Amino acid sequence: MRILKSLLLGMCVALCACTSQNSTVQTNDKGTQWEWKNGTIVVKTPERPAGQQSVIGLTAPKMEVVRVGFVGLGMRGPGAVERFTHIPGTQIVALCDYEQSRAENCQKYLEKASLPKAAVYSGEKGYEELCKRDDIDLVYIATDWLHHFPVAMCAMENGKHVAIEVPSAMNLQECWDLINMSEKTRKHCMILENCCYDWFEMNTLNMAQQGVFGEIIRGQGAYIHELSPFWDHYWKDGENDKLGWRLDYNKKHRGDVYATHGLGPVAQAFDIHRGDRMVTLVAMDTKSVVGKDLVEKRTGEACDNFRNGDHTTTLIRTANGKVIEIQHNVMTPQPYNRLYQLTGTKGFANKYPIEGYALDSKQLAASGVEPQVDNLNTHSFLPKEEMQALVDKFQHPILKKYGEMAKEVGGHGGMDFIMDSRLVYCLQNGLPLDLDVYDLAEWCCLAELGELSMDNNCAAVEFPDFTRGEWNVVKGYKFAYASPEEEKETMDKAKAITSKLKEQGAKEWQVELDKK
C-alpha cells in the first residue's frame, strides 16, 4: 500500500510539474513572454495591429534622385558615404554623428567628388533633426548597435525609408516594433547585410536556384572573426568607458549577437519566408575565457559574469525539414571564417576554408558544363577548370552589372558597393528591395532566441512567425528588375542629375577654397 501511495504521489507531482511547465507564462529580462509547450519554449506571435498590411513585395514611387542622410560616421559610416558618391542619381543631403568632427570629416568625400556640401548634425539627439528634414528620402544607419533601432524608428515615423547596418535589431521587441512601423508607414526597412552580395554567395545562390545542387537540405554559416585588432577602436562613451560598446554588449548579453553575416546568404538559398520558414532552434555556447579576460585586463577588476560564451553554435530546423547551423566567435585566435556551405541532394558548395563545388560528371553536364576530366566524382572538389566554367555559366546578373565597378570602388572587396547600388537601383525604379523588414527580424532574432535556449538548459525554442502567416505566399527568393528600356531611362536621368550636382558642387567648393 505504501508503495502504491508513493507511486501515485510521484505521478501527481510529475503531472503537476508537466502542467506547470506547459502552462506558466514567463517573462525574460527583455520583456519577452514565453511558455513551455511539450518541452519547447514558445514565444507568442502578436496579432497584426488594425490598419496594417504586410510589406512583402512593398514598392514605393520611383525616385529620380535618392536623397540620403547618413547617421553614424565612425567605423562603417564613412565608407558608405564615399561609396554613394559613385552611384549616379544620389544626393548626400545630411551627415550626422554623436561627435561633430566625425560628421564634418566626411565632407571630404563630397569635396573629392565635386558634390554639394551636406548639412551636419551632431550630439545625442542630432539624428532627430536630420529625420525631420523634408528633403531626405533614405536614412542610412551605421551607428553602434544600441542606436540602430531608435534612429530607424524616428526616421520611419518621419516618413523616411531606412537601411540599417547589422545587427539591425537587438531583441524581439525591436524586431516587432520595426515590422509594425514599416507596415504602418509603408516605408522600406532594409537590413544592410553585405555578405549576401559577395561573389561566391551570389553565384552559388544562382546555381542553387537553377537546380545545380538538387534540393538544398542543409546549410552552414558563421561569423568567426577574432577581434583583437579592433576592440580598442569601438567608440567609448567618455573616459570612464574602458570597454567600448561592442565588448560591453558581449559582456552583458548571451547568444549569437552577430548572426546575420552567416545566416543571410543561407536563408536566401533556403527561400526563408518565401516558401519556407525557420521553425525551431537549439543553441549552445562554451564558457567565456577570452571575453572574461579582456574585461579584466581593461578594467583591472574581476569579471564574474561575462554573459556571452567565446563560441556559440545554433542549430535551426525549417518548416520544410531542412537544417541550418550558425556559429559565432569573435574571441579565440583562428582564421576569418563565415563557414558558408550548402549541402544539396545532387551537389555541394563550400566557401571556407576551401572555396569550391562538388558535382559528379553527370550533374555537371546536366548543369550545362561539359566535364574535361574523366571519372569526375563528388568525393572531391571540382578541378579549377571545371569550377571556373561553372562559375562563368552561372555568374549572377547583378555581378555582371556591378562587379567590375565594385572592385574599383571597394568596400569589403566590393560587396558593399553592390549592396548600396542595388538599394538605389530598386528605389529609383520603384521596385521591392532585395531584403525586407521580415528578413531583418528573422536574421536578428537568433540573439534572443538563442539566449532563451541556453538559459534553459539548451532547450528547443520556436521561432515566432514575423510574417504573421504569409511566409508561404511568395514562392522562391527573387531579385526585382526593371525592363531594359525602363532601366536605361532611369539611369540616363540619374546621370544627368549627378552631372548638375557636380557642377553645383564644384562652384561651392571653389568658393570655400577662395575663402582660404
Side-chain angles (χ1 to χ4, degrees):
M1 192 62 138
R2 286 181 181 177
I3 294 174
L4 181 58
K5 286 182 178 179
S6 178
L7 286 172
L8 289 172
L9 179 61
M11 290 173 64
C12 288
V13 170
L15 181 61
C16 289
C18 182
T19 303
S20 175
Q21 188 190 57
N22 280 283
S23 62
T24 303
V25 176
Q26 302 186 46
T27 305
N28 67 7
D29 62 348
K30 296 176 175 62
T32 298
Q33 291 191 330
W34 59 274
E35 59 184 320
W36 291 100
K37 287 188 178 179
N38 300 320
T40 297
I41 292 173
V42 177
V43 177
K44 183 180 179 182
T45 297
E47 294 292 328
R48 177 172 280 131
Q52 289 179 202
Q53 292 181 328
S54 167
V55 289
I56 292 175
L58 176 69
T59 61
K62 293 182 179 181
M63 302 177 191
E64 290 189 356
V65 57
V66 179
R67 303 168 298 177
V68 191
F70 289 88
V71 181
L73 298 167
M75 295 179 74
R76 298 292 294 270
V81 174
E82 197 277 334
R83 292 192 302 273
F84 265 72
T85 65
H86 296 275
I87 302 176
T90 63
Q91 181 179 3
I92 299 168
V93 174
L95 303 167
C96 177
D97 192 88
Y98 188 90
E99 298 178 8
Q100 183 175 342
S101 60
R102 297 200 299 191
E104 292 282 6
N105 192 47
C106 286
Q107 299 278 23
K108 66 185 179 185
Y109 301 116
L110 306 186
E111 181 178 12
K112 182 180 178 181
S114 296
L115 292 170
K117 205 171 188 178
V120 168
Y121 298 88
S122 61
E124 186 176 353
K125 298 292 185 179
Y127 68 86
E128 293 182 353
E129 295 305 310
L130 180 149
C131 291
K132 291 175 183 176
R133 293 180 65 114
D134 60 5
D135 58 349
I136 290 177
D137 305 302
L138 171 70
V139 176
Y140 196 107
I141 304 165
T143 64
D144 64 277
W145 296 350
L146 293 178
H147 288 86
H148 287 169
F149 173 74
V151 177
M153 291 292 284
C154 180
M156 285 191 283
E157 284 175 335
N158 283 277
K160 314 296 189 289
H161 301 292
V162 296
I164 319 171
E165 267 291 356
V166 298
S168 308
M170 306 311 296
N171 54 57
L172 289 173
Q173 188 60 57
E174 290 185 1
C175 288
W176 284 116
D177 287 347
L178 289 172
I179 288 171
N180 287 334
M181 185 59 72
S182 179
E183 291 182 349
K184 177 183 176 181
T185 61
R186 315 306 293 169
K187 295 298 176 183
H188 292 297
C189 182
M190 176 180 172
I191 179 172
L192 290 168
E193 185 37 75
N194 57 351
C195 294
C196 291
Y197 296 89
D198 209 350
W199 271 254
F200 187 88
E201 284 85 342
M202 293 213 79
N203 288 333
T204 301
L205 176 62
N206 195 31
M207 293 177 199
Q209 291 174 332
Q210 302 301 320
V212 171
F213 310 115
E215 183 178 1
I216 307 297
I217 59 172
R218 192 177 193 280
Q220 284 195 83
Y223 185 71
I224 297 174
H225 186 193
E226 197 255 339
L227 292 178
S228 60
F230 303 98
W231 292 120
D232 290 333
H233 297 282
Y234 294 108
W235 184 79
K236 295 180 175 63
D237 186 11
E239 60 181 16
N240 293 325
D241 182 356
K242 298 177 181 179
L243 302 183
W245 61 262
R246 188 162 185 173
L247 184 57
D248 183 66
Y249 196 90
N250 277 270
K251 176 179 178 291
K252 295 176 179 176
H253 299 273
R254 196 177 190 183
D256 192 335
V257 297
Y258 204 70
T260 69
H261 280 346
L263 181 56
V266 174
Q268 289 182 316
F270 276 53
D271 296 326
I272 295 301
H273 93 241
R274 298 162 178 90
D276 200 356
R277 65 178 290 256
M278 297 185 288
V279 174
T280 310
L281 69 72
V282 174
M284 295 184 182
D285 60 356
T286 69
K287 64 180 181 179
S288 172
V289 178
V290 177
K292 178 177 178 291
D293 186 58
L294 284 170
V295 171
E296 291 180 345
K297 286 180 177 178
R298 281 163 170 72
T299 63
E301 300 173 356
C303 177
D304 298 323
N305 188 24
F306 193 99
R307 285 282 287 156
N308 218 0
D310 285 349
H311 196 112
T312 299
T313 301
T314 306
L315 283 174
I316 303 164
R317 186 171 175 84
T318 76
N320 290 342
K322 303 179 180 185
V323 173
I324 302 171
E325 179 180 348
I326 303 296
Q327 298 186 46
H328 176 262
N329 184 335
V330 296
M331 297 297 177
T332 65
Q334 55 185 300
Y336 181 90
N337 193 340
R338 295 206 303 273
L339 275 181
Y340 182 65
Q341 185 182 100
L342 298 179
T343 299
T345 56
K346 295 181 179 179
F348 175 81
N350 191 80
K351 182 168 182 177
Y352 297 93
I354 299 173
E355 188 170 298
Y357 302 102
L359 301 171
D360 61 22
S361 296
K362 181 180 178 181
Q363 183 61 14
L364 187 62
S367 301
V369 177
E370 189 63 37
Q372 301 300 310
V373 177
D374 293 335
N375 300 319
L376 191 64
N377 61 62
T378 53
H379 292 165
S380 59
F381 288 115
L382 291 174
K384 183 178 179 180
E385 291 76 13
E386 274 71 16
M387 176 177 169
Q388 190 58 53
L390 187 68
V391 170
D392 290 343
K393 178 173 177 56
F394 290 96
Q395 184 182 27
H396 202 286
I398 290 174
L399 294 180
K400 291 179 181 178
K401 182 176 179 64
Y402 298 111
E404 290 305 313
M405 188 172 181
K407 291 176 182 177
E408 293 180 17
V409 175
H412 290 92
M415 60 184 178
D416 293 354
F417 179 76
I418 297 172
M419 173 182 69
D420 294 337
S421 296
R422 273 294 299 178
L423 167 59
V424 171
Y425 173 92
C426 291
L427 291 175
Q428 288 176 337
N429 288 281
L431 300 171
L433 303 189
D434 298 341
L435 309 175
D436 61 27
V437 72
Y438 307 116
D439 294 314
L440 180 158
E442 285 166 306
W443 302 352
C444 292
C445 75
L446 256 65
E448 185 175 349
L449 295 186
E451 182 180 52
L452 270 173
S453 175
M454 291 182 285
D455 283 349
N456 289 277
N457 199 30
C458 304
V461 180
E462 279 193 13
F463 283 81
D465 180 3
F466 293 109
T467 68
R468 294 179 170 113
E470 300 185 28
W471 58 272
N472 207 22
V473 172
V474 175
K475 305 296 184 182
Y477 183 85
K478 299 178 181 69
F479 293 92
Y481 301 97
S483 69
E485 295 77 18
E486 292 172 321
E487 192 174 294
K488 182 180 184 306
E489 180 182 359
T490 298
M491 183 53 67
D492 287 345
K493 290 179 179 178
K495 288 180 177 178
I497 288 168
T498 296
S499 180
K500 290 182 179 179
L501 287 172
K502 284 181 175 289
E503 289 178 11
Q504 177 186 340
K507 293 177 182 178
E508 290 180 4
W509 288 110
Q510 185 59 51
V511 170
E512 291 286 324
L513 186 62
D514 291 343
K515 289 180 181 179
K516 296 177 182 178

